[in-house]
C-alpha cells in the first residue's frame, strides 16, 4: 500500500507465504498452509535429497539453519531472487528448519531449474512427478546416502515410518470435524485407535483427502484473450490458456470450454463439477473461465483424465484433438465395495436417507453466499463513489483551481498578506491529505470486489455445483423403479406358486414364460440396486468433499477482516495527518488584512 500511495503501512514489512498470504507474527506458517507443507511426507525422494541434507547438516554445525539452506541452494545455480523466494516459502520462522521444510526447499529448487514456479502449490501439483534436482558437488554424498534408504522415510519405497504418520496426523487435524457418519440421524460413532487404546473419534469417509481439493484459492490456470479473432468468415474470440501443472499454453474457444463442461457431467454424473460462465456475459467471462479451469485442475481425479490432459496440454485445435484421438468417454466406473473400504454401509444409507434435509441446507448456503457477494459488491461500489467524491472535494482545496489575482487596480490593495499565503499553502497540503484518503477508499473498494467477493464467489460456485449434482442424483434415483420391479417379481412368484398348486397342472409353456420373466426381472432388480448403491455412495463421498470446502471460510473471513483493519488503520493515519495539517492553518483574523 505504501508503494502505491506513499502512506505509511501500519502492518510494517510483514512476511508472506508463497501463496501471497500474510504470515502471523513470528513468521509461523498459517494453518491452511499445513497440508501443503506435508505434501512430500509420503513421497519417495531421490538420494540426492538425503545427500544434500547431510551436507546442510555439516554446513550448519548439526542443524539446518537459513544460512545452511542458502549454501545448499547455491549449488543449484539458481538466480538470487529465486533463492530468496524459496527460502521465504520454506522458512516457518523457527530457528532451525525441519527435514520436511528442507525437502520442500529442494523440491522448489528442482521446479525453478525447469523454469517452473517455485512455490508450495507447485510442489503439491508435481509431487508425484518432480523434475530431477541438479546440485553440483553432491554426487559422492548421494552415493553414500543410498544405503541408508531403509532408515529414511523419504527414500523408502514403502513410504512408511515418519512420513505416513505425519500424513495421518495432518488428515485427522484437518478433517476430524468434517465427518458425515451418522450425522443425518444426529449421532456420532466411536472407533478404537491403534495401540490398544480406545478413543472417540468422528468417522471420516474413505475418500481421497488430497489437500489440494479443498484449497479454493489455489490458482493453476491463467487465461487471457488472444490478440486476434479466430475464424475466416464468422469471427470468434480465442483464449490463451496457460497452466502450471502441464507447463503449457494452448488456445481454446468458449465452445471448447462448454464442450468440456458437458463432457465432465456425462463422464462423471455422480460428482460435483465446476460451473462454466454463460456465454452472454462477455465482461466477466475470463474470470469465470479461470475459476472453471482452476476448479478442474484442483481435483486430482479430473487432473488425471485423458481428455482433461489433452485439453490443457495439446496445442492443436481441440476439435482436431477429439477427432483424431482415441479418448475414453464412457461413464465413470464405480466399484462400490472397493471405494467403500472400511466405512459401514449403514452410514451411507443414513446419510442418503436425509437427502432432502441436506438439499435444503445447500439451498440455504447458496442464498447466503449469494447475498454476501451482492453485499460486498455494493460496498465496493459505495467505496469507489466515496473515493470519487473525496477526490472532487480535494480539488476544491487546491489553490491552483482558485481564481487568479486581478491585474487591474492598485497592487497595494490586491497583494495577498502573509496569512493568506500561509492559508493557501496549508490548503494545498490538506488537498493532498484528502487525496490520500480518496485513494484509500478506492483501493478498499477494489480489494472488496477483486479479492473478498471473488474468493467468496469460488465458494459460491462450489455450493452451486453441489446443488446441481444433487439435482442430477434426484433425477437418476432408482428407489421407485426398484419398488416397481420388486412388485412385479412378487406377482410373478405368486403366479408360479398358483400354477404349481393347480390341478390339473398348468401348461408347461406358461410356466417357462413366467420363470423366464422372473429371471429377467431379478437381473433388472440387481442392476437397479447396484446403480442405486453407486448413487448413494457417491452422494456420501461428495457431501464429505463439499463440507471440506467450508475450511476455506477461515481463509476468506480472516483475509477480509485483515483488509478491513488495514485500510481503516491507513485511513485513520491519513485523517490524523490531515488534522495535524489543519491545526497549522492561520487563526489570527487581523493577519488577513495587515
Amino acid at each position: 500500500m505504501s508503494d502505491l500511495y506513499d502512506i505509511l503501512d501500519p502492518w510494517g514489512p510483514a512476511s508472506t507465504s508463497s501463496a501471497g498470504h500474510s504470515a502471523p507474527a513470528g513468521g509461523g506458517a498459517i494453518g491452511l498452509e499445513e497440508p501443503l507443507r506435508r505434501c512430500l511426507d509420503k513421497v519417495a525422494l531421490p538420494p540426492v535429497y538425503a545427500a544434500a541434507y547431510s551436507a546442510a547438516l555439516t554446513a550448519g554445525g548439526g542443524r539446518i539453519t537459513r544460512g545452511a539452506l542458502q549454501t545448499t541452494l547455491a549449488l543449484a545455480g539458481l538466480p538470487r531472487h529465486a533463492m530468496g523466494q524459496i527460502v521465504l516459502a520454506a522458512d516457518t520462522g523457527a530457528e532451525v528448519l525441519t527435514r520436511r521444510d528442507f525437502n520442500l526447499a529442494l523440491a522448489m529448487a528442482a521446479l525453478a531449474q525447469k523454469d517452473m514456479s517455485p512455490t508450495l502449490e507447485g510442489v503439491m501439483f508435481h509431487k508425484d512427478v518432480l523434475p530431477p534436482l541438479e546440485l553440483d558437488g553432491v554426487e559422492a554424498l548421494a552415493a553414500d546416502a543410498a544405503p541408508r534408504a531403509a532408515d529414511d522415510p523419504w527414500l523408502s519405497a514403502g513410504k512408511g515410518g515418519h512420513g505416513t504418520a505425519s500424513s495421518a496426523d495432518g488428515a485427522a487435524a484437518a478433517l476430524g470435524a468434517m465427518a458425515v457418519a451418522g450425522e443425518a440421524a444426529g449421532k456420532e460413532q466411536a472407533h478404537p485407535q491403534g495401540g490398544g487404546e480406545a478413543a472417540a473419534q468422528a468417522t471420516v469417509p474413505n475418500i481421497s483427502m488430497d489437500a489440494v481439493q479443498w484449497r479454493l484459492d489455489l490458482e493453476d490456470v491463467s487465461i487471457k484473450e488472444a490478440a486476434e479473432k479466430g475464424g475466416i468468415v464468422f469471427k470468434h474470440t480465442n483464449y490463451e490458456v496457460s497452466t502450471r501443472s502441464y507447463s503449457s499454453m494452448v488456445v481454446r474457444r468458449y465452445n471448447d470450454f462448454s464442450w468440456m463442461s458437458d463432457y465432465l457431467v456425462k463422464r462423471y454424473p455422480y460428482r460435483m463439477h465446476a460451473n462454466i460462465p454463460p456465454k452472454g456475459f462477455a465482461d466477466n467471462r475470463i474470470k469465470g473461465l479461470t475459476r472453471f479451469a482452476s476448479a478442474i485442475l484442483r481435483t486430482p481425479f479430473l487432473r488425471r483424465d485423458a481428455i482433461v490432459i489433452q485439453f490443457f496440454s495439446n496445442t492443436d485445435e481441440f476439435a482436431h484433438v477429439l477427432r483424431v484421438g482415441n479418448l475414453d468417454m464412457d461413464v465413470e466406473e464405480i466399484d462400490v465395495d472397493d471405494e467403500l473400504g472400511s466405512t459401514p454401509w449403514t452410514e451411507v444409507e443414513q446419510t442418503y436417507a436425509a437427502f432432502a434435509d441436506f438439499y435444503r441446507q445447500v439451498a440455504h448456503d447458496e442464498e447466503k453466499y449469494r447475498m454476501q457477494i451482492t453485499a460486498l459488491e455494493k460496498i465496493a461500489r459505495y467505496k469507489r463513489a466515496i473515493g470519487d467524491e473525496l477526490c472532487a472535494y480535494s480539488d476544491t482545496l487546491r489553490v491552483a483551481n482558485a481564481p487568479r489575482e486581478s491585474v487591474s487596480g492598485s497592487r497595494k490593495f490586491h497583494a495577498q498578506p502573509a496569512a493568506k499565503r500561509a492559508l493557501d499553502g496549508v490548503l494545498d497540503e490538506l488537498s493532498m491529505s484528502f487525496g490520500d484518503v480518496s485513494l484509500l477508499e478506492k483501493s478498499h473498494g477494489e480489494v472488496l470486489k477483486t479479492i473478498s467477493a471473488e474468493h467468496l464467489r469460488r465458494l459460491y460456485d462450489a455450493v452451486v455445483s453441489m446443488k446441481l449434482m444433487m439435482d442430477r442424483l434426484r433425477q437418476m434415483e432408482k428407489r421407485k423403479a426398484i419398488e416397481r420391479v420388486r412388485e412385479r417379481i412378487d406377482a410373478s412368484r405368486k403366479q408360479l406358486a398358483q400354477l404349481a398348486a393347480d390341478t390339473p397342472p398348468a401348461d408347461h409353456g406358461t410356466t417357462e414364460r413366467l420363470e423366464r420373466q422372473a429371471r429377467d426381472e431379478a437381473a433388472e432388480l440387481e442392476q437397479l440396486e447396484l446403480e442405486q448403491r453407486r448413487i448413494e455412495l457417491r452422494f456420501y463421498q461428495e457431501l464429505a468433499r463439499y463440507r471440506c470446502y467450508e475450511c476455506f471460510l477461515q481463509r476468506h473471513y480472516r483475509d477480509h477482516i485483515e483488509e478491513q483493519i488495514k485500510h481503516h488503520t491507513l485511513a485513520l493515519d491519513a485523517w490524523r495527518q490531515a488534522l495535524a495539517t489543519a491545526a497549522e492553518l492561520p487563526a489570527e483574523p487581523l493577519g488577513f488584512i495587515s
Side-chain angles (χ1 to χ4, degrees):
M1 188 62 65
S2 57
D3 295 336
L4 292 175
Y5 305 119
D6 196 25
I7 299 173
L8 181 63
D9 189 340
W11 290 141
S15 62
T16 58
S17 71
S18 65
H21 309 150
S22 298
I30 60 176
L32 281 179
E33 199 178 68
E34 186 64 19
L36 287 179
R37 305 194 76 86
R38 294 179 181 272
C39 65
L40 295 181
D41 284 4
K42 298 175 67 175
V43 176
L45 299 174
V48 67
Y49 284 72
Y53 181 71
S54 300
L57 281 177
T58 303
R63 59 182 189 170
I64 305 294
T65 61
R66 285 174 61 101
L69 175 60
Q70 291 174 339
T71 302
T72 307
L73 292 177
L75 301 176
L78 299 177
R80 189 177 186 86
H81 70 277
M83 288 178 54
Q85 182 179 352
I86 292 172
V87 172
L88 184 63
D91 187 11
T92 61
E95 183 178 356
V96 179
L97 274 72
T98 65
R99 177 73 179 275
R100 176 186 293 118
D101 299 330
F102 185 78
N103 285 340
L104 286 171
L106 295 186
M108 287 187 280
L111 295 177
Q113 287 179 338
K114 300 300 180 182
D115 295 326
M116 302 165 70
S117 179
T119 61
L120 294 176
E121 290 86 352
V123 176
M124 168 65 80
F125 276 119
H126 300 280
K127 65 179 181 180
D128 296 325
V129 286
L130 285 172
L133 174 64
E134 299 176 4
L135 295 176
D136 294 336
V138 296
E139 290 80 1
L141 290 174
D144 295 339
R148 298 195 298 271
D151 301 325
D152 191 332
W154 281 280
L155 293 177
S156 173
K159 303 180 182 65
H162 168 73
T164 303
S166 298
S167 295
D169 293 342
L175 300 168
M178 299 177 184
V180 174
E183 184 165 337
K187 300 179 181 178
E188 289 185 3
Q189 298 188 11
H191 294 272
Q193 295 277 9
E197 298 179 0
Q201 181 183 9
T203 305
V204 293
N206 185 38
I207 62 175
S208 175
M209 292 299 182
D210 193 332
V212 75
Q213 296 186 57
W214 326 129
R215 291 182 60 81
L216 294 181
D217 58 328
L218 198 60
E219 289 288 1
D220 184 56
V221 182
S222 174
I223 299 179
K224 62 180 182 180
E225 190 173 313
E228 297 181 358
K229 300 287 185 180
I232 299 176
V233 179
F234 301 101
K235 299 294 182 181
H236 60 262
T237 303
N238 286 329
Y239 298 97
E240 296 178 355
V241 184
S242 303
T243 57
R244 292 185 299 176
S245 292
Y246 305 111
S247 301
S248 62
M249 194 282 288
V250 297
V251 177
R252 296 289 181 255
R253 300 175 54 182
Y254 177 87
N255 289 344
D256 298 332
F257 287 94
S258 180
W259 186 94
M260 176 60 66
S261 177
D262 295 338
Y263 160 75
L264 293 178
V265 173
K266 294 176 182 178
R267 169 74 168 155
Y268 306 96
Y270 311 117
R271 304 268 199 170
M272 286 190 295
H273 295 296
N275 303 304
I276 187 170
K279 191 170 185 178
F281 296 92
D283 293 340
N284 299 323
R285 191 184 299 172
I286 289 182
K287 285 185 178 180
L289 292 177
T290 302
R291 287 198 303 270
F292 170 76
S294 294
I296 292 175
L297 295 186
R298 271 195 299 267
T299 308
F301 75 88
L302 291 182
R303 198 164 62 244
R304 295 189 294 266
D305 185 274
I307 293 183
V308 171
I309 294 174
Q310 293 293 321
F311 182 85
F312 287 105
S313 62
N314 196 321
T315 56
D316 295 338
E317 290 188 7
F318 192 57
H320 176 72
V321 174
L322 295 176
R323 283 198 302 270
V324 302
N326 185 18
L327 302 175
D328 182 15
M329 298 187 185
D330 295 332
V331 175
E332 174 191 23
E333 295 183 0
I334 303 174
D335 189 330
V336 177
D337 295 331
D338 183 56
E339 294 197 24
L340 186 63
S342 59
T343 305
W345 181 254
T346 55
E347 296 178 5
V348 178
E349 290 180 323
Q350 289 173 355
T351 302
Y352 193 79
F355 187 97
D357 295 334
F358 287 123
Y359 189 87
R360 285 192 293 270
Q361 181 61 49
V362 171
H364 171 75
D365 291 344
E366 179 188 16
E367 179 65 14
K368 176 179 68 176
Y369 294 131
R370 185 189 64 79
M371 292 179 65
Q372 288 186 14
I373 292 170
T374 302
L376 284 175
E377 291 177 342
K378 285 183 178 179
I379 295 173
R381 290 196 296 270
Y382 294 153
K383 287 287 183 180
R384 290 195 298 270
I386 291 172
D388 292 337
E389 295 303 322
L390 280 172
C391 183
Y393 187 77
S394 172
D395 284 343
T396 64
L397 298 175
R398 295 179 59 194
V399 176
N401 294 334
R404 292 183 176 274
E405 184 179 331
S406 174
V407 296
S408 61
S410 171
R411 296 288 299 175
K412 176 180 178 180
F413 297 100
H414 292 278
Q416 292 185 350
K420 182 64 170 67
R421 292 194 298 274
L423 173 67
D424 291 342
V426 177
L427 289 178
D428 270 339
E429 293 183 13
L430 274 176
S431 174
M432 294 175 61
S433 295
F434 279 100
D436 290 341
V437 178
S438 168
L439 291 174
L440 282 171
E441 292 289 345
K442 291 181 179 180
S443 168
H444 195 185
E446 192 64 24
V447 166
L448 289 175
K449 178 183 177 182
T450 60
I451 298 180
S452 297
E454 185 65 21
H455 283 183
L456 196 59
R457 193 178 294 278
R458 297 174 191 178
L459 183 57
Y460 174 77
D461 285 347
V463 176
V464 174
S465 299
M466 182 65 181
K467 188 170 181 290
L468 292 176
M469 185 207 73
M470 295 180 74
D471 287 335
R472 290 197 300 273
L473 294 185
R474 194 155 52 181
Q475 293 176 359
M476 293 185 289
E477 229 265 350
K478 305 298 183 183
R479 286 188 296 186
K480 292 184 178 179
I482 289 174
E483 289 300 323
R484 288 195 296 268
V485 174
R486 284 176 177 171
E487 290 174 359
R488 293 204 304 269
I489 291 176
D490 290 341
S492 299
R493 288 174 178 173
K494 290 179 181 179
Q495 291 182 26
L496 286 171
Q498 181 65 36
L499 290 176
D502 286 346
T503 303
D507 180 56
H508 185 66
T510 303
T511 302
E512 287 185 346
R513 179 180 60 79
L514 289 175
E515 290 177 346
R516 184 171 58 254
Q517 179 179 337
R519 288 194 299 270
D520 292 342
E521 289 171 343
E524 181 183 357
L525 177 63
E526 182 180 0
Q527 181 63 32
L528 289 174
E529 288 178 339
L530 177 60
E531 292 180 12
Q532 181 62 25
R533 283 170 59 86
R534 290 172 176 172
I535 291 173
E536 293 180 9
L537 176 63
R538 273 290 181 256
F539 173 69
Y540 175 79
Q541 294 175 331
E542 292 299 287
L543 179 62
R545 182 176 163 214
Y546 168 73
R547 287 182 167 181
C548 287
Y549 285 127
E550 292 184 343
C551 72
F552 182 70
L553 286 173
Q554 190 265 358
R555 158 77 195 282
H556 164 69
Y557 288 119
R558 188 204 64 211
D559 286 0
H560 175 66
I561 293 170
E562 284 181 351
E563 285 295 339
Q564 293 282 347
I565 295 173
K566 182 175 181 178
H567 278 85
H568 281 83
T569 304
L570 291 171
L572 180 60
D573 290 344
W575 284 120
R576 284 172 174 166
Q577 179 61 39
L579 179 62
T581 302
E584 298 176 1
L585 289 169
E588 179 59 42
L590 295 179
F592 288 88
I593 59 176
S594 60

